[in-house]
Amino acid sequence: MTPLQYKKQQLAKENKNNTSVSNALVESFVNKNNVVALKILFYISKGKLDPQETELVKFKIDCKNLCSYCNIDMQTLRRNLKQMTETSLTFVEEGKYEEYISVIPKVKNVYGGHIEFSMFNKVLKLIQEVENKFTVIDLTNLMKLKSKHSIKMIQLLEMIQGFSKNVAKRKYYSLEELNGLFGTKYKTLYEFERRILKNTKAELDEVSNLTFTYSKKMDKEDIGTAGRPKAIGLYIELLDNKKRIKNENNKRK
């Protein structure tokens, strides 16, 4: 298991909660802002490759199909494949050892045709577990996105969408929680809103099936220098983007 998986497993034991956790492999690429690499991983996860007993697994992928699915060109693909050969994961076996494995130790780009991957079986199994252990998301929708923060927000929105029918499709996050989720260190909610939230909402409004609206939670007992209550968190509310656009168009008529 990876360090992130180990940490979450320990928290799960403490909370006596055995629900599945997000795939640490996906989380690591989101945190490193390697969005194209993340898309490639999702493409591989959908390949349904047959399990192999060998430590090193070899398989081929058609270049055109991969580029078309991930909405990228060949130059971008080559650049990111090279970066993936330079990226490693740390696996932790509790009380026994740590090991470091390259995500893709070898990749051969056959010009005008296909790509030959060599990947450790242990990493490939992590990739194939994406659809089972990771929050279920619309991959076609995800492939349109360019920002790692938009991808993170889609994860949250898909989770909110999964709430039961009798529960409001919204969730509260403190500034500390938002910083943890998005890998940021903003000291005020104003900065988080300005640098992350507005840009993320703009991209989702433009290309995504799902988007959101938000409202601030104010601490009435903590008055800022301007004499107003301090914002301490946000309520993220899910919106169906198609319905949102339709409603806005109707208002203009």
Side-chain angles (χ1 to χ4, degrees), residues 17 24 63 117 146 148 161 164 171 203 208 239 245:
N17 184 350
C63 292
F117 288 88
K146 297 180 180 179
K148 74 168 185 176
Q161 189 177 42
S164 59
K171 185 170 174 58
E203 182 175 21
S208 175
L239 290 180
I245 294 173

Side-chain angles (χ1 to χ4, degrees), residues 81-103:
L81 286 174
K82 184 177 180 181
Q83 290 178 358
M84 291 173 77
T85 63
E86 300 167 354
T87 302
S88 64
L89 291 172
T90 301
F91 290 84
V92 177
E93 187 68 27
E94 185 178 358
K96 294 182 179 180
Y97 64 83
E98 289 186 12
E99 63 179 344
Y100 316 101
I101 303 179
S102 296
V103 175

Side-chain angles (χ1 to χ4, degrees), residues 28-90:
S28 67
F29 277 91
V30 170
N31 292 337
K32 291 175 182 176
N33 201 21
N34 199 335
V35 175
V36 174
L38 178 62
K39 292 180 179 182
I40 294 171
L41 291 179
F42 273 119
Y43 185 87
I44 294 174
S45 76
K46 291 181 66 66
K48 307 299 182 184
L49 298 171
D50 295 329
Q52 299 180 26
E53 297 300 325
T54 57
E55 185 179 21
L56 201 63
V57 180
K58 298 180 180 180
F59 56 95
K60 298 178 181 179
I61 290 180
D62 182 84
C63 292
K64 291 184 179 179
N65 290 342
L66 177 57
C67 287
S68 176
Y69 186 85
C70 296
N71 195 27
I72 57 176
D73 56 32
M74 278 300 302
Q75 183 177 356
T76 302
L77 175 62
R78 285 194 293 267
R79 183 174 66 251
N80 280 273
L81 286 174
K82 184 177 180 181
Q83 290 178 358
M84 291 173 77
T85 63
E86 300 167 354
T87 302
S88 64
L89 291 172
T90 301

Side-chain angles (χ1 to χ4, degrees), residues 23-215:
N23 187 289
L25 179 60
V26 176
E27 293 288 346
S28 67
F29 277 91
V30 170
N31 292 337
K32 291 175 182 176
N33 201 21
N34 199 335
V35 175
V36 174
L38 178 62
K39 292 180 179 182
I40 294 171
L41 291 179
F42 273 119
Y43 185 87
I44 294 174
S45 76
K46 291 181 66 66
K48 307 299 182 184
L49 298 171
D50 295 329
Q52 299 180 26
E53 297 300 325
T54 57
E55 185 179 21
L56 201 63
V57 180
K58 298 180 180 180
F59 56 95
K60 298 178 181 179
I61 290 180
D62 182 84
C63 292
K64 291 184 179 179
N65 290 342
L66 177 57
C67 287
S68 176
Y69 186 85
C70 296
N71 195 27
I72 57 176
D73 56 32
M74 278 300 302
Q75 183 177 356
T76 302
L77 175 62
R78 285 194 293 267
R79 183 174 66 251
N80 280 273
L81 286 174
K82 184 177 180 181
Q83 290 178 358
M84 291 173 77
T85 63
E86 300 167 354
T87 302
S88 64
L89 291 172
T90 301
F91 290 84
V92 177
E93 187 68 27
E94 185 178 358
K96 294 182 179 180
Y97 64 83
E98 289 186 12
E99 63 179 344
Y100 316 101
I101 303 179
S102 296
V103 175
I104 301 179
K106 180 181 177 181
V107 59
K108 182 178 180 181
N109 183 15
V110 180
Y111 293 134
H114 60 269
I115 300 171
E116 298 177 1
F117 288 88
S118 294
M119 184 177 291
F120 284 101
N121 203 19
K122 198 166 189 175
V123 177
L124 182 59
K125 286 181 179 179
L126 271 182
I127 294 173
Q128 291 177 325
E129 289 173 357
V130 164
E131 292 183 325
N132 296 326
K133 289 190 175 181
F134 194 56
T135 303
V136 178
I137 61 178
D138 183 346
L139 294 185
T140 303
N141 192 43
L142 180 142
M143 293 299 165
K144 302 173 186 175
L145 304 176
K146 297 180 180 179
S147 166
K148 74 168 185 176
H149 298 308
S150 297
I151 290 176
K152 172 55 68 176
M153 182 60 74
I154 279 293
Q155 297 173 34
L156 300 181
L157 296 180
E158 291 282 359
M159 179 193 67
I160 293 172
Q161 189 177 42
F163 290 173
S164 59
K165 293 181 180 180
N166 59 340
V167 175
K169 301 293 184 179
R170 71 171 186 166
K171 185 170 174 58
Y172 171 77
Y173 294 99
S174 67
L175 176 59
E176 182 181 5
E177 289 173 322
L178 291 169
N179 276 325
L181 288 167
F182 287 85
T184 55
K185 297 181 180 179
Y186 295 113
K187 295 182 179 180
T188 67
L189 206 58
Y190 168 77
E191 282 297 302
F192 182 86
E193 179 185 18
R194 184 171 70 89
R195 295 180 178 272
I196 304 297
L197 214 57
K198 289 185 176 180
N199 293 334
T200 299
K201 178 170 172 54
E203 182 175 21
L204 295 184
D205 282 354
E206 183 179 356
V207 302
S208 175
N209 295 330
L210 298 178
T211 188
F212 66 97
T213 185
Y214 63 93
S215 57

